Amino acid sequence: MLRTPRLLAVGAATSLALSLAACGGEDSAAPAEDPEEIVVSLVPSGDVDSITESAKGLESFLSDEIGIPVRAEVTESYASAIVALKSDQAQVAMLGPIGVVQAEDQAGAVPILQSVRYGSKTFHTQWFTNDPETYCADEVTVVEGLKYCNGTDAAKTGPIGEEAIAKVKPGTSIAFVDQGSAAGYYYPATQWGQVTGGDALVDLDAQFSGDHDAAVLAVARGDYPVGVSFDDAREEVAADEPKVASDVVVFAYSTEIPNDGIVVAGGLSKELRTKVTEAFTAMAKDPKGLKTLEAVYDIEGLTPVDTEALKKAKAVEENFGG
């Protein structure tokens, strides 16, 4: 029951190589700030080749809708995508919630749309372990071949299992995802601090796996006793690593996190910004376009940005030292 995107962070050794077609000259009828090509920054959480291939449909659909060429570029991280926006190397980015608020603050970007999955605009971090005797207060249950405890099998939203999170002692090695990931670092680290009164930056042995798949696999293989990811990243790797099903038990969820979103560079004209918004909206309503969005980021729909939810995400970032 995969509930969240394959978007939140990446550890792949992909180089950021963005180039932008020159803007029109001084006599051009187009506004100086509007480019002749739109670059869309994508941040994968696993197989770079897969998202690169899926993005071809994104380029084609958006190019036709907007009326100028659109090119997708895979970046190394949220930070790279934000730098691309800030330096005019990209005009659009599809980012996790922390990336969205950082793009607003650091690059002057404008959030335009938010993803919908399973009928929801939110998701949560899942905490998992290979040591259920320590972190499970009840019997482990199996649902569709995957293991849960502390009521996480039935819970549709978080938080839940915070008594178990309190058992994560200072010094524990944890397989986080990436320092820019909402579900893979910001929210669980903040939650641990709230539950225990500790400082996750100082007190925990944070190990960054690079992507959600890798965090799951690190715990499955016994490298670390505890890990975090989006819910339920285990489905992505269970077929390739049997220990994911046999040894990895989800024991807690974070509070709800706003889904990833789409931002546009603040320097774009209002007209072009509207065209981009309308193009993505049309894509989500078109059967072929929606298949492309599903292939890229498991997106089942797009909706206007929930500004209140993003304010909460910003508060998490600020409390975390963002």
Side-chain angles (χ1 to χ4, degrees):
M1 48 179 148
L2 181 64
R3 298 172 183 149
T4 52
R6 298 185 51 76
L7 171 69
L8 298 170
V10 62
T14 317
S15 63
L16 175 62
L18 299 176
S19 62
L20 183 62
C23 294
E26 291 182 2
D27 296 330
S28 173
E33 68 269 19
D34 283 346
E36 295 177 357
E37 177 188 50
I38 289 177
V39 176
V40 180
S41 286
L42 306 174
V43 186
S45 66
D47 185 0
V48 174
D49 291 337
S50 176
I51 194 171
T52 301
E53 181 65 28
S54 299
K56 292 179 181 178
L58 192 81
E59 294 172 331
S60 176
F61 192 99
L62 294 176
S63 295
D64 290 343
E65 287 289 322
I66 299 171
I68 61 176
V70 173
R71 177 163 53 87
E73 288 285 353
V74 179
T75 66
E76 290 183 346
S77 64
Y78 287 135
S80 296
I82 293 168
V83 168
L85 287 169
K86 190 174 182 179
S87 60
D88 295 326
Q89 293 179 300
Q91 291 70 47
V92 180
M94 302 177 76
L95 302 169
I98 297 298
V100 168
V101 298
Q102 289 177 334
E104 282 188 281
D105 291 344
Q106 299 174 23
V110 180
I112 56 171
L113 294 167
Q114 187 176 343
S115 300
V116 175
R117 295 178 186 83
Y118 300 90
S120 176
K121 295 187 291 185
T122 67
F123 69 111
H124 46 258
T125 298
Q126 65 177 16
W127 291 75
F128 47 84
T129 184
N130 51 32
D131 181 14
E133 289 188 5
T134 298
Y135 299 103
C136 292
D138 56 8
E139 292 296 320
V140 173
T141 60
V142 180
V143 179
E144 298 180 6
L146 297 175
K147 293 183 175 180
Y148 303 81
C149 70
N150 301 335
T152 55
D153 59 313
K156 294 183 179 180
T157 60
I160 190 171
E162 291 192 320
E163 297 85 354
I165 293 174
K167 295 180 180 179
V168 179
K169 303 300 182 184
T172 301
S173 296
I174 297 183
F176 287 108
V177 174
D178 179 273
Q179 287 174 302
S181 172
Y185 190 44
Y186 274 87
Y187 274 75
T190 299
Q191 184 181 25
W192 184 84
Q194 292 171 340
V195 169
T196 65
D199 183 343
L201 291 172
V202 175
D203 299 331
L204 294 176
D205 179 19
Q207 301 295 321
F208 295 100
S209 303
D211 61 56
H212 295 262
D213 293 359
V216 172
L217 291 171
V219 173
R221 294 167 181 167
D223 296 336
Y224 310 109
V226 174
V228 298
S229 72
F230 63 71
D231 171 33
D232 194 324
R234 292 177 297 175
E235 293 184 353
E236 300 295 328
V237 290
D240 296 325
E241 176 51 75
K243 287 185 177 181
V244 171
S246 63
D247 296 357
V248 179
V249 183
V250 168
F251 67 86
Y253 294 151
S254 74
T255 187
E256 291 298 290
I257 307 168
N259 283 350
D260 51 292
I262 302 170
V263 303
V264 296
L268 293 187
S269 67
K270 184 177 180 180
E271 179 183 4
L272 185 53
R273 186 188 309 166
T274 299
K275 286 183 178 180
V276 171
T277 304
E278 291 176 345
F280 272 103
T281 301
M283 192 172 192
K285 294 180 179 179
D286 179 87
K288 186 176 180 180
L290 185 57
K291 284 185 178 180
T292 296
L293 289 172
E294 289 175 346
V296 174
Y297 284 146
D298 295 325
I299 292 172
E300 296 182 356
L302 292 170
T303 187
V305 171
D306 185 338
T307 55
E308 289 303 314
L310 284 181
K311 286 180 182 178
K312 293 179 181 179
K314 185 174 179 61
V316 170
E317 185 216 16
E318 289 175 343
N319 290 335
F320 203 70

